[in-house]
Amino acid sequence: MSLDPAHAARIVKAVHGRQEILADPAYELELADTLKTSYGASGLVELYGRFSSGDGFVDALMRRSVLRALSRSCGARLQVGSGAVFKHPETFEFGNGVFVGAQANIQGRYDGTCVIGNNVWIGPQAFLDARNLVMEEYVGFGPGAKVLGSAHTGMPADVPIVRTDLEIKPVRIEAWADIGTNATILPGVTIGKGAIVGAGAVVVSDVEPFSVVAGVPAKFLHWRTDSDLTRTASQNNGAIHER
């Protein structure tokens, strides 16, 4: 066994989003239909809780089957990690090939909209305020990254802030964008197509397509080029290419 770490960065092939998405087995679709018929919404939520934390085949099958039964729509090959939490999944639309990492927390609202497009990858421990959220296809959302889609008005000032009205602003992450680990997207922000948000950034305003932003608050660094893609992958220890 070698104790010497590999010092050179390396590029490896991506996994997520590169494979053909096959239809789910018929028995899974039938299971979801049966669950939907047999349980009310509250019953399905309770049932999800029974299988939310396991890592086995049955646990994973039941998580995606219950979500299929609860959600507005659900594409093929949904993957949901253990401990993932969903609030108001009846407002969710999942595309094909969506991955939701372990302990991710996606919070919708009964009258909200949450669209997660084809081949979106959501990292472990991500938090998404999904009251009015659209993620287009092939979005990468890093571990621990956050979407904040709302804030209290804080007015009037003579009552506790948590009792003041909530202002919900739409957040949109356009296709191919990549959000770095622990980055935070604030309410009302649109991340342009193919943009890169650096790890730990706090994004307070719209990001132009195919640009690179980083920092607190996030600022424009430069436009993407093919050489930038290679450098970013190397700086992230290949994380983009391992999805």
Side-chain angles (χ1 to χ4, degrees):
M1 180 173 64
S2 174
L3 298 179
D4 293 331
H7 295 293
R10 58 189 181 128
I11 302 294
V12 299
K13 289 287 187 184
V15 175
H16 185 77
R18 294 178 65 95
Q19 299 169 325
E20 180 184 1
I21 298 175
L22 303 176
D24 286 326
Y27 74 83
E28 283 200 29
L29 305 182
E30 292 170 1
L31 174 60
D33 287 342
T34 300
L35 294 175
K36 190 171 185 177
T37 302
S38 303
Y39 293 81
S42 59
L44 286 170
V45 170
E46 180 182 351
L47 186 63
Y48 180 87
R50 296 183 200 173
F51 297 94
S52 63
S53 60
D55 288 320
F57 170 81
V58 173
D59 299 292
L61 168 65
M62 290 303 294
R63 283 196 291 270
R64 61 175 175 267
S65 296
V66 171
L67 283 171
R68 183 186 301 281
L70 275 170
S71 61
R72 191 171 288 165
S73 64
C74 181
R77 303 295 171 177
L78 173 67
Q79 298 179 68
V80 181
S82 62
V85 174
F86 301 86
K87 187 174 182 180
H88 289 294
E90 72 274 14
T91 65
F92 288 23
E93 299 173 46
F94 294 102
N96 294 318
V98 170
F99 173 89
V100 180
Q103 300 178 32
N105 190 327
I106 307 180
Q107 301 247 344
R109 180 181 152 96
Y110 68 94
D111 58 354
T113 297
C114 174
V115 177
I116 301 176
N118 293 336
N119 293 300
V120 165
W121 190 94
I122 298 171
Q125 299 183 328
F127 174 83
L128 285 77
D129 179 340
R131 295 177 174 94
N132 192 340
L133 172 66
V134 174
M135 282 186 169
E136 298 181 357
E137 63 180 8
Y138 290 98
V139 166
F141 199 81
K146 300 172 183 63
V147 165
L148 305 181
S150 59
H152 289 278
T153 64
M155 299 299 292
D158 61 347
V159 300
I161 293 173
V162 294
R163 295 184 60 187
T164 63
D165 291 343
L166 201 62
E167 183 178 22
I168 299 170
K169 294 182 178 180
V171 173
R172 190 178 196 94
I173 303 177
E174 295 183 348
W176 306 4
D178 195 85
I179 313 302
T181 299
N182 286 326
T184 300
I185 314 297
L186 294 193
V189 165
T190 293
I191 307 296
K193 180 178 180 179
I196 293 175
V197 174
V202 176
V203 186
V204 302
S205 59
D206 292 351
V207 174
E208 291 292 321
F210 294 98
S211 65
V212 179
V213 301
V216 181
K219 295 183 178 180
F220 172 83
L221 297 182
H222 52 78
W223 301 108
R224 280 179 59 194
T225 67
D226 287 345
S227 60
D228 291 330
L229 288 176
T230 302
R231 185 167 59 250
T232 300
S234 298
Q235 290 171 343
N236 287 323
N237 198 25
I240 290 175
H241 293 264
E242 290 174 352
R243 288 173 185 167

